Each structure stands twice: as C-alpha cells, then as structure tokens.
Amino acid sequence: MGSLMNERELRRLLAEVKAGGLSRRAFVRRMAAVGLAAPLATQLLAYSGVAMAQGASEYKPTKRGGGGMLKLLWWQGPTLLNPHFAVGTKDQDGSRLFYEPLAGWDPEGNLRPVLAAEVPTRENGGLAADGKSVTWKLKKDVTWHDGKPFTADDVVFNWEYAKDPATAAVTIGTYKEVKVEKIDDHTVKVSFEKPTPFWASAFVGAQGMIIPKHLFEAYSGAKSREAPTNLKPVGTGPYKFKDFKPGDTVSGEINTNYHMPNRPYFDAIEMKGGGDAVSAARAVLQTGEYDFAWNLQVEDEVLTRLEKSGKGKVVIAESGNIEHIQLNSCDPWKDVDGERASLKTKHPILSDPAVRKALTLLVDKGSVEKFIYGRTGPATPNFLNNPKRFRSTNIKDEFNVEKAADLLEKAGWKKGADGVREKDGKKLKLVYQTSINQPRQKTQAIVKQACQKAGIDIEVKAVTASVFFSSDVANPDTYPHFYCDLQMYTTTMGQPDAGLFMNQFCSWEAATKANKWQGRNVTRWQSPEYDKVYREAEGELDPVKRAALFIKMNDLAVGNQVVIPVVMRPVVAAHGNKLRAVVSGWDNNTWDLQNWFKEG
C-alpha cells in the first residue's frame, strides 16, 4: 500500500474523518480503492481514536412483540401530544411514539419511507423535472389505531389544518406555501409556487407527522386547542396510546396491526419525563434502570465516568443543532399595546453595534468546550454548521476582554465607580436567561465573569426547563416571549437542509403576540437583506449556489451579532448495553422506534 498512498496522505484522511469532514464510509471506500479491505480500514480508524460507527438498523426479531417494556427517559417531559403544536423536541419526540410521517431521515441524511410506499425520485416519476412538484405514493395497508384506514384524505387534511393561521400550528411554515392535492386514495401531489430544491419538507421528519382527519376535522382553526385528541393521540405508529400525565409520563402498548412485519419488538413503552440530564444519564449508564436517555447535556467528564459502570454507552450522532446566545432586537422592558419586546421598539442598549460586538468577544467558547462539553459540544463560530456544505469559513472566533473593553470605551461607555459602564445615563446592565441545567449555568458563569472584567453587569436568570420550553402562550418566562436582554438554548435542525432552520431570522417569522409567540424568529431581528437572500435560496435548484446563499445568511446573522454561536450540539444519548437503536441527528430521537430491539 505504501507506494499507492503515503503515510502523510493516510494521516490527513484519518484527521479528516476525526474532524467530521470525511465520513467513515467514504474513508473505507478510499482504502478499498488502494487495496485495503474494509475490516482493516475500520481497524485503522479505531486505532486512530475514531469511535465505532453504528450502522443502519439491522432488525433481527422474527416476530412481533415479546420484548417486554421499553423504558425511555426524557428529563423534560412532553406537555402535549399533537405534533403540530410541538414547540420543543420533547413534544415532537413524545408525539412520534404514536404518529408517523411519510418518510424519515437516517443518520446520513438519506430519506427512509415510513407511511410512503417509496421515496419519490426522478426515476419512479415522483419528482417533477422542473422542481415544482413531488408525488407521494402511500402504503395501502395502514390503519389508524382505532381501525379506520389511513388515506390520502388524511394527508391533505394535515396540510389544510397546519396552514390555517387560526390553528396556530408551529408547523405552519412548512405547509403555508405549498399546495397539496389528492390524486387517488393512496397518492398525493405536493406542488410548489416555484422550483423547490428541498422538496422533502412537508410530511417528512419531525415537522411531518400526520394526524387523523376523522378525529381532528371538527377542531380545525380557532377550535384547534380544544381537541381531546391533543392529549390522547390516535396515530399509525408502532405503539398505541395508553396514558399521559403532561410533564411526567407517556405510556403506550403494542400496536398489533402495525403496518411493518414483525414490528414492534416491545410489548409496551414508557417515556418518563422530569429530573435532570445527569440523573437521566445515571439511570441508563450506571443503574441500568432505563434503556434509553435523551439529550444528555452533561459535562463529558461525568459521562465518561458513568460509562465505566459498564451498564450502557454514550451514543453521539452528528447534527445541525447549535447552543447559542440570542441578543434581543426589541425592548423587553417596555410595554407597547400590551406587548413587551414589541416590534415597534428598539433595544435600548443592544441597538448599539459596539455593545453587540463587545459581547461576541466576551464569550470564551474554547473554555466552554474544554471544561464543560468535551466531545458533546465542539466550539464553533457559525450558527449553521451541518451538513458540511453549508458551513462558512468566513467567520473566525475571538475571545478578547481588552479588545471588548476598548470597543465600549471608544463608543462612549465609561466605567462608573462601581466598575459598570454607562452612557447617556444608562447603565450597561443586561439580564441573561437560560434553562436550568448544569452546563448552561456553568456557561453563564464563564460569560458573566468575562463581561464583568469589561465593565458589563450581567444578571443571570435560570428558568425551570419545563417552563422555559413550555408551549403555554400565557407564560412570560418561555423562550419565544424572550422577555430579557440575552438568552441561551439549543435550536435544533430537524432535517439535513438549511431551509427551515434558517427561516428563524426572517422578518415574517417574528414571534409576536399576534401569532401567540409561535413565530420562529425569537430575536425579532428585521433585515430586508437577509429576507432577500432567503427568498433567493428558496428557488435556487443549483446545490452549490444554494449552499453559498445559506453561508451568506449565516454570515449576516452572526456578523450582525443577532446570535452568538457557542458550541455545536451533536445528538447525545445513552443506550443500555442490550438496546439496538439508531439515532439520527436529522429527525426525532424516536424516528426509527419501530426498529428498536434488545439483543442478548
């Protein structure tokens, strides 16, 4: 092999795999091309410290049921079970126990059919050559949990339901600009106003779960929140609804009429909510009391220690999720027509570009990665990080307290006797909120300390996660209200495309009282330039040009300090040693639930 590929080249490739720039699969293919067999290539990766890949689900059970109870732990319990109202990942994942989309995303970002008979392609006639429509063929043997048949009428209904502004669905962005028609009982056509490069948004993945027409039709529009089925789902999934205590437990039992053979393996499922990420990790990795724990926002050093108990393992899947700090564009301390942080206001301090720029220099991401997240959170200058073709190389991270202080000084923010800067009678005091969990409070402490040195007084606020991520429109402490100056959380990227992810900076998506704070633009930043670039990307079929437009959007949002990216957040879960489950960073944690089983 030496003559075909020198050591330097091999080391470069291995480093690329470790950095996430080259997939394991591509590496193995390259090795095969120079005559190195796959098992040897895999060993090379292992020796170089690249974690073992988890292949696609190889479902082994030969009959349905018999697997006993599957116990899942979500340290934030779901508060509702209608996917169209699922504000947080917990509600989407809880809904996904019972409801299914037409197709889901695997870890590599490939589509896998669920309720669809096949994935639409140019070859099978599913994708129109002009990029303006996609035709989905549905499976014919699917029934809802109450025995009624699943048909094209259900799919069309979900579109009508979600696009109606009176329904106040969080999925409205996915459905309002498409047209859906029934071709026959098992075929639907989704049409777009213009050529649409990312056609697999409606009815796919986390935004695509389908609810039954016959149970929701009477509760469309303004009556949407009154539907009893919001809390007692009737879906098509592998498990049927049994019981739900909001914020605490969701339980289900086997669907003996499930549309996939020999599935599911488990007889019952329980999703327990509450507690915190550390106790969730412990319950799988150390005590083995649970089979799976979600979203382990836990210092890496703690996870490594717990793994030594030998009961389970930490599984990491690449995603586009990003832990970031948002800077409020509006004034959260002023009330206009019964609305705080109204679009009619400007933030009294953060409207000064010098303050925004100084704040970006005061977030020590290197320390956040090194001392808190480790392998579960690499520092990044970008808001948009994955898939890699969308990652900007234009923005560089810098942590510099002196430079920040100098910027503020030159902008007229002078230090008072108490060490806090002020200008025009305004103190440089900011309230910085996030949800309660240890890595977040530690991050707040790192940021507060640096800000203090530069003369910015930061008041930290920590809100119980179940409140912060609640869908309660009356609660002022939820993150979409954003009633403070700075706030931090992870925004998730539910699909391997940047379209839906980047609409959270579009003007028309601003979260306001009028849309019950359901808009995705929580910072309420308004930029005609950003809107224009976003609209351009929507119709760009050339993947290279389209990626360039998304990179430009990232650079506008980060360059204007609308947000300060902190660390990338791959999907981090704990699996019991016997559990076989594939987690994807592009879909619900429970996207492949029908294929989960236990071995040994």
Side-chain angles (χ1 to χ4, degrees):
M1 187 191 105
S3 60
L4 291 169
M5 180 175 284
N6 64 33
E7 187 188 37
R8 186 192 287 171
E9 172 69 348
L10 184 58
R11 285 193 190 283
R12 188 187 67 74
L13 288 174
L14 285 165
E16 212 177 322
V17 178
K18 282 178 91 166
L22 182 69
S23 73
R24 295 174 55 93
R25 196 175 287 168
F27 176 81
V28 172
R29 273 207 302 269
R30 291 245 190 124
M31 295 299 103
V34 294
L36 197 66
L40 272 170
T42 304
Q43 276 178 1
L44 259 178
L45 287 171
Y47 290 144
S48 306
V50 179
M52 281 295 193
Q54 196 166 353
S57 178
E58 290 174 17
Y59 189 74
K60 292 183 180 166
T62 52
K63 68 177 180 65
R64 179 170 289 159
M69 168 80 81
L70 173 64
K71 294 183 78 179
L72 315 175
L73 198 51
W74 259 243
W75 48 273
Q76 291 168 21
T79 49
L80 49 81
L81 297 172
N82 179 334
H84 291 290
F85 301 147
V87 174
T89 312
K90 61 186 173 34
D91 296 329
Q92 290 176 348
D93 289 349
S95 299
R96 190 67 178 79
L97 303 189
F98 311 108
Y99 293 117
E100 297 180 306
L102 296 186
W105 297 107
D106 79 2
E108 272 81 49
N110 303 311
L111 269 184
R112 196 184 290 176
V114 183
L115 290 172
E118 60 188 8
V119 171
T121 61
R122 291 286 295 277
E123 291 71 38
N124 65 23
L127 288 185
D130 63 4
K132 288 176 83 171
S133 71
V134 53
T135 302
W136 290 91
K137 290 197 176 337
L138 312 179
K139 284 184 178 175
K140 293 182 174 168
D141 55 349
V142 181
T143 54
W144 293 101
H145 293 155
D146 61 4
K148 298 272 196 311
F150 161 74
T151 70
D153 292 325
D154 294 301
V155 181
V156 174
F157 167 74
N158 275 258
W159 164 65
E160 289 167 340
Y161 177 90
K163 78 180 173 79
D164 179 352
T167 304
V170 295
T171 50
I172 187 169
T174 305
Y175 295 99
K176 69 180 175 190
E177 286 174 8
V178 299
K179 182 171 171 256
V180 181
E181 56 191 310
K182 170 184 173 177
I183 304 296
D184 61 41
D185 278 350
H186 295 97
T187 314
V188 291
K189 183 180 180 183
V190 181
S191 302
F192 311 104
E193 286 171 13
K194 51 181 182 270
T196 298
F198 188 67
W199 50 267
S201 184
F203 312 117
V204 171
Q207 301 286 322
M209 287 173 260
I210 295 170
I211 61 175
K213 177 181 178 177
H214 65 281
L215 294 174
F216 282 94
E217 197 172 18
Y219 298 96
S220 230
K223 291 165 86 179
S224 67
R225 304 279 161 166
E226 296 165 29
T229 328
N230 286 341
L231 298 174
K232 293 183 176 177
V234 175
T236 55
Y239 300 96
K240 291 164 84 161
F241 176 77
K242 191 177 170 193
D243 189 39
F244 179 38
K245 295 181 182 71
D248 180 22
T249 318
V250 185
S251 57
E253 56 199 8
I254 191 167
N255 174 11
T256 51
N257 290 320
Y258 189 57
H259 56 88
M260 294 189 191
N262 305 328
R263 290 164 177 80
Y265 166 77
F266 298 99
D267 303 305
I269 187 166
E270 181 188 281
M271 181 186 203
K272 176 87 177 113
D276 57 43
V278 178
S279 58
R282 192 174 290 124
V284 175
L285 301 173
Q286 193 175 52
T287 67
E289 191 190 339
Y290 282 83
D291 301 305
F292 177 91
W294 158 85
N295 186 16
L296 297 183
Q297 276 191 2
V298 178
E299 288 99 320
D300 197 21
E301 126 197 45
V302 176
L303 291 176
T304 306
R305 198 168 63 238
L306 291 173
E307 275 181 303
K308 291 194 172 116
S309 306
K311 292 270 171 61
K313 58 186 180 296
V314 171
V315 177
I316 296 176
E318 193 162 271
S319 79
N321 304 348
I322 177 82
E323 179 85 353
H324 67 295
I325 299 168
Q326 297 178 339
L327 285 70
N328 211 333
S329 298
C330 300
D331 188 347
W333 311 113
K334 192 174 181 178
D335 193 306
V336 178
D337 304 329
E339 181 173 11
R340 284 166 62 183
S342 155
L343 287 173
K344 293 173 184 165
T345 63
K346 256 195 163 51
H347 195 284
I349 292 171
L350 297 175
S351 49
D352 182 341
V355 177
R356 300 175 87 91
K357 183 81 185 95
L359 285 166
T360 65
L361 293 164
L362 294 168
V363 178
D364 185 359
K365 302 174 188 187
S367 292
V368 173
E369 176 185 340
K370 187 175 174 186
F371 299 112
I372 304 172
Y373 287 99
R375 63 192 156 148
T376 73
T380 177
N382 292 310
F383 185 80
L384 176 59
N385 290 283
N386 282 318
K388 209 166 173 200
R389 65 179 176 279
F390 296 131
R391 195 180 298 174
S392 172
T393 52
N394 306 323
I395 295 182
K396 300 286 177 274
D397 267 331
E398 187 181 1
F399 171 64
N400 192 325
V401 178
E402 293 72 31
K403 197 168 166 182
D406 190 47
L407 262 173
L408 293 168
E409 191 70 33
K410 286 183 176 142
W413 291 94
K414 303 294 180 193
K415 269 194 180 178
D418 56 359
V420 179
R421 294 180 182 274
E422 56 181 283
K423 179 183 180 179
D424 304 333
K426 276 197 296 264
K427 286 269 196 193
L428 193 38
K429 285 187 163 190
L430 300 166
V431 177
Y432 167 23
Q433 75 176 9
T434 187
S435 66
I436 293 178
N437 89 33
Q438 221 174 359
R440 288 201 169 128
Q441 270 67 72
K442 287 192 172 180
T443 303
Q444 278 181 315
I446 288 173
V447 175
K448 180 183 167 113
Q449 193 183 7
C451 284
Q452 205 170 351
K453 286 180 187 164
I456 303 174
D457 182 14
I458 296 280
E459 180 191 326
V460 296
K461 178 178 171 186
V463 183
T464 311
S466 58
V467 171
F468 192 64
F469 296 107
S470 155
S471 49
D472 178 3
V473 294
N475 195 318
D477 278 331
T478 69
Y479 77 88
H481 282 81
F482 194 2
Y483 286 171
C484 65
D485 307 303
L486 310 169
Q487 71 175 355
M488 177 174 71
Y489 60 95
T490 286
T491 190
T492 57
M493 187 171 174
Q495 51 197 34
D497 182 81
L500 186 67
F501 184 70
M502 294 304 277
N503 82 354
Q504 60 193 294
F505 299 112
C506 295
S507 300
W508 58 86
E509 277 289 335
T512 60
K513 187 180 177 182
N515 60 28
K516 298 183 178 148
W517 292 278
Q518 300 288 315
R520 296 187 72 241
N521 179 351
V522 174
T523 64
R524 306 179 180 98
W525 180 53
Q526 306 285 293
S527 163
E529 186 187 0
Y530 186 95
D531 293 349
K532 184 171 168 286
V533 179
Y534 185 88
R535 287 295 190 210
E536 224 177 296
E538 280 184 313
E540 181 53 72
L541 290 176
D542 179 326
V544 179
K545 285 183 184 162
R546 189 163 174 270
L549 290 167
F550 280 113
I551 287 168
K552 189 172 179 185
M553 283 178 236
N554 172 82
D555 296 353
L556 281 170
V558 177
N560 284 294
Q561 298 92 39
V562 183
V563 286
I564 303 170
V566 184
V567 291
M568 288 192 254
R569 297 293 313 283
V571 172
V572 182
H575 293 208
N577 279 337
K578 290 180 177 178
L579 182 68
R580 297 293 168 261
V582 174
V583 176
S584 166
W586 305 116
D587 208 323
N588 297 101
N589 290 276
T590 40
W591 78 285
D592 195 39
L593 193 60
Q594 67 275 11
N595 287 312
W596 290 21
F597 69 100
K598 277 186 185 173
E599 225 173 12

